[in-house]
Amino acid sequence: MRTGRLLLGTNWKMNKTIRESVDYTRRLLGLLDRFDRSDAVQVFVIPPYTAIEAVKRASEGRLWVGAQNMHWAERGAYTGEISALMLQELGVDLVELGHAERRRYFNETDADVNRKVHTALQYGFKPLVCVGEQLEDKRRGIGKETVKNQVRTIFANVETDCAPRLIVAYEPVWAIGAEHADVGIEYVREMQAYIRTSLEEMLGRSAAAMVTVIYGGDVNLRNAATLVSESGTDGLFVGRAAWEAENFAELIRASLKAIG
Ligand code: 13P
């Protein structure tokens, strides 16, 4: 299904000081310089808010830099929140919305994510929206239904011409942070195809084909190449296995090799 460059990114979650973030960014760029076809991939990093500006500067326009969350309102009495207006000033390229940890620890709902998607699009960001079923959904055989319902609510009233900017990360909740989640290539292929079918119902066939659908959840050096070459994914979204620049670079190298 991949039409453009392979998208490979990492969510740093609540890790890294400004100094650590800049050091990581410089090391990663230095390593990418050694790769022959690094333009076949688009790499992105999602630092904590405090390091976004420094990472954006250090990335010299070569990486997409994102935020891990955003409020839907432009301003207001929302203590502790960050708005699109503030992120725009930092020059972020994408905004991650609805990560499983946001849902679990901060009670974020699909309806909240829908409001945030609209705001992100209005401000010119690429919304990177996370969807995925719980282990219980999978056990009960309602994994597909769960992701379809998520897609329906999250992309409600989104204009079809925004499709090229939409990124959906399929992240089965039970695989995130797990050791040896063993998700299975066929399973990823099937779920991502189902997400695309659900997107077709929302946006129409041609617009849905323009949405980037990536995979996340226990991506590591052992499974990255197979995921890239055999699951039909448009990219990978990595946590732990990319928190060291050298490890992320190795994963990028393996993915580049896999796409030939
Ligand atoms: P892990 O790669 O550590 O499982 O985390 C994935 C993730 O949450 C990406 O957003």
Side-chain angles (χ1 to χ4, degrees):
M1 207 38 155
R2 192 164 57 242
T3 48
R5 284 183 293 177
L6 186 68
L7 190 59
L8 300 174
T10 174
N11 170 14
W12 293 352
K13 309 192 181 184
M14 198 175 71
N15 294 294
K16 299 191 193 304
T17 62
I18 296 174
R19 191 197 301 258
E20 289 165 348
S21 301
V22 170
D23 179 55
Y24 177 111
T25 306
R26 291 193 181 133
R27 289 203 326 263
L28 181 64
L29 290 179
L31 293 161
L32 292 181
D33 279 339
R34 299 190 204 159
F35 297 172
D36 283 346
R37 294 177 308 110
S38 54
D39 55 348
V41 294
Q42 175 63 56
V43 177
F44 68 87
V45 294
I46 312 190
Y49 288 130
T50 47
I52 290 175
E53 189 175 14
V55 169
K56 183 75 195 172
R57 210 176 306 120
S59 73
E60 299 165 353
R62 293 170 58 194
L63 309 174
W64 285 350
V65 180
Q68 296 177 16
N69 180 34
M70 180 196 77
H71 198 273
W72 58 75
E74 189 173 274
R75 58 172 63 80
Y78 298 104
T79 302
E81 290 291 316
I82 295 289
S83 80
L85 196 61
M86 298 163 189
L87 294 177
Q88 197 174 48
E89 211 175 21
L90 300 180
V92 306
D93 303 281
L94 57 89
V95 181
E96 179 183 359
L97 301 172
H99 188 275
E101 288 146 17
R102 298 287 323 161
R103 295 168 186 265
R104 177 172 178 192
Y105 301 118
F106 305 99
N107 303 320
E108 203 160 294
T109 66
D110 293 332
D112 296 334
V113 179
N114 173 252
R115 295 176 81 173
K116 294 179 178 194
V117 166
H118 283 280
T119 304
L121 289 168
Q122 191 187 328
Y123 277 83
F125 307 135
K126 299 172 187 56
L128 190 175
V129 173
C130 304
V131 300
E133 80 287 4
Q134 304 277 346
L135 187 57
E136 187 55 25
D137 301 325
K138 182 171 182 274
R139 285 197 177 127
R140 290 170 55 208
I142 56 163
K144 285 184 179 166
E145 211 175 309
T146 304
V147 294
K148 183 192 212 131
N149 288 336
Q150 290 174 336
V151 166
R152 273 197 183 145
T153 306
I154 289 171
F155 294 106
N157 301 316
V158 167
E159 301 287 339
T160 54
D161 60 357
C162 296
R165 280 197 283 145
L166 303 179
I167 305 167
V168 179
Y170 168 56
E171 303 203 297
V173 178
W174 46 277
I176 297 171
E179 295 295 334
H180 307 294
D182 233 353
V183 178
I185 300 299
E186 261 322 299
Y187 189 77
V188 172
R189 172 190 289 284
E190 223 180 276
M191 291 299 283
Q192 290 205 330
Y194 196 76
I195 287 169
R196 204 170 291 276
T197 308
S198 309
L199 286 166
E200 281 174 11
E201 285 169 21
M202 300 297 297
L203 303 167
R205 211 187 169 99
S206 56
M210 286 188 256
V211 178
T212 302
V213 182
I214 63 178
Y215 173 78
D218 196 28
V219 173
N220 54 60
L221 200 52
R222 293 185 310 280
N223 61 18
T226 323
L227 278 164
V228 160
S229 58
E230 292 175 27
S231 76
T233 193
D234 295 329
L236 301 174
F237 193 24
V238 194
R240 294 156 296 164
W243 288 346
E244 290 297 331
E246 290 69 21
N247 294 347
F248 192 25
E250 274 312 303
L251 207 143
I252 294 167
R253 186 205 300 275
S255 303
L256 271 169
K257 205 167 151 212
I259 55 174

